[in-house]
Amino acid sequence: VELDSSFQQNVEALEEAMPEPVLAEEIKLRLGSGWVPTEIISRFTEMVITGESSPFPGEANPNFKVSLIGADWQVGVSDWTISQNDGRARNRYGTERISASELIQKVLNGSKIEICDTVEDKRVVNIDQTAIANSKAQDIKELFNSWVWNDPERKALLTQVYNNRFNVFVEAKYDGSGIQFTGLSPTFNGKPFTPRQTQRNTIMRYFQEGRALLAHGVGTGKSFELASIAIEGKARNLHQKPVVAVPNNVFGQLSRSIQQHYPNARVLSL
């Protein structure tokens, strides 16, 4: 494939902006996380029932079919396979009433696990059997948590899948260094005044996005940012009649602050 060198600058800029990869140790997953590949769940099911799993990477054992359609997990294991591995499928990780593969499917889907009997044509929950089944389901969850990361190649695949799917957003950075202020007074309260870089960046964010949350602490310069966003935004045709609404107890203070920063601005204070 021949690459167009005219886009090299774009490629380099994108590579520089890419987020740092999330390490496996920072990733939290559970049995039922929808982003985990079905081939891994298939091997886990095989391991639970037989005590072994097919080599990874490679073809999964066709006797352990796992699919995810929408948000619905399906686990398919034949009765013959269950009977051949009865000790694990219906004793260690299952019961006579519900096999390990059925429990895995319920855990994957977050389904309620209940064992019911029919008494006088009514469906009645068997409390003892339900408690045993839920205990086996908890064992399966704990086994998955210890098993899923213990293979280096499986660990590498999960880390790659997670980063490709979720670690794709980078918080935007705004540089207001080049802002040329319109009518800004060089003094404030009789002292020289120069906007701080954080204030410039905040104003630039508004210029680019048309909105900004000024979640700064008290005394960090929000009044100037409000004044500058209103006046500088109008000068750049970002809005026409900006309105700044404040509580009554800071009305006078903000009004004076705007007039001091922009003495030539036409400000109506009500």
Side-chain angles (χ1 to χ4, degrees):
V1 178
E2 185 177 351
L3 302 179
D4 189 339
S5 60
S6 63
F7 291 100
Q8 185 60 34
Q9 182 178 356
N10 304 66
V11 173
E12 293 174 357
L14 287 170
E15 290 176 342
E16 184 178 349
M18 289 178 64
E20 290 294 322
V22 176
L23 302 178
E25 292 71 20
E26 301 173 285
I27 298 173
K28 297 185 183 299
L29 63 82
R30 61 178 176 79
L31 184 58
S33 296
W35 59 272
V36 177
T38 56
E39 60 192 279
I40 288 180
I41 303 301
S42 171
R43 283 172 169 80
F44 175 68
T45 303
E46 180 183 8
M47 189 276 297
V48 169
I49 292 175
T50 69
E52 301 176 352
S53 60
S54 302
F56 184 86
E59 291 295 325
N61 189 328
N63 292 321
F64 301 88
K65 297 181 175 64
V66 175
S67 62
L68 176 61
I69 302 174
D72 183 45
W73 288 93
Q74 293 292 325
V75 178
V77 181
S78 68
D79 292 339
W80 183 87
T81 301
I82 296 295
S83 65
Q84 290 296 109
N85 298 276
D86 193 67
R88 292 177 67 89
R90 291 200 178 276
N91 186 1
R92 178 65 185 88
Y93 293 107
T95 75
E96 289 299 324
R97 301 289 297 274
I98 185 168
S99 70
S101 63
E102 293 173 297
L103 283 173
I104 290 173
Q105 179 170 301
K106 284 185 175 293
V107 172
L108 285 167
N109 289 310
S111 302
K112 187 175 183 178
I113 299 173
E114 281 187 344
I115 306 300
C116 296
D117 298 323
T118 301
V119 179
E120 296 180 355
D121 296 327
K122 293 182 180 180
R123 190 170 179 267
V124 179
V125 176
N126 186 317
I127 296 176
D128 292 338
Q129 288 295 319
T130 296
I132 295 172
N134 277 279
S135 176
K136 301 293 184 180
Q138 184 61 37
D139 291 343
I140 289 172
K141 292 177 186 178
E142 293 174 0
L143 179 63
F144 178 78
N145 292 337
S146 63
W147 171 86
V148 71
W149 295 112
N150 66 11
D151 179 90
E153 292 183 317
R154 185 167 61 238
K155 180 178 180 179
L157 173 63
L158 285 167
T159 304
Q160 180 184 12
V161 171
Y162 181 90
N163 277 280
N164 289 346
R165 183 163 180 175
F166 300 108
N167 189 27
V168 294
F169 298 101
V170 180
E171 185 176 351
K173 296 180 180 179
Y174 304 89
D175 184 4
S177 302
I179 294 177
Q180 298 295 319
F181 292 94
T182 306
L184 177 63
S185 173
T187 62
F188 182 73
N189 286 336
K191 298 178 181 179
F193 175 79
T194 301
R196 295 191 294 271
Q197 186 61 43
T198 54
Q199 292 174 314
R200 287 176 170 271
N201 294 346
T202 299
I203 296 165
M204 178 56 73
R205 178 170 189 160
Y206 176 80
F207 287 173
Q208 294 186 1
E209 292 194 2
R211 60 184 179 180
L213 173 64
L214 310 183
H216 313 322
V218 176
T220 54
K222 295 191 296 294
S223 296
F224 167 71
E225 292 171 355
L226 284 170
S228 190
I229 285 173
I231 294 171
E232 301 294 345
K234 181 176 181 180
R236 290 162 173 78
N237 291 320
L238 297 178
H239 46 242
Q240 296 303 315
K241 295 182 179 180
V243 176
V244 180
V246 296
N248 289 334
N249 63 314
V250 297
F251 172 78
Q253 174 188 342
L254 182 62
S255 178
R256 290 190 298 272
S257 176
I258 294 175
Q259 291 288 1
Q260 288 185 59
H261 281 303
Y262 290 92
N264 298 321
R266 298 173 60 189
V267 180
L268 176 63
S269 301
L270 296 172

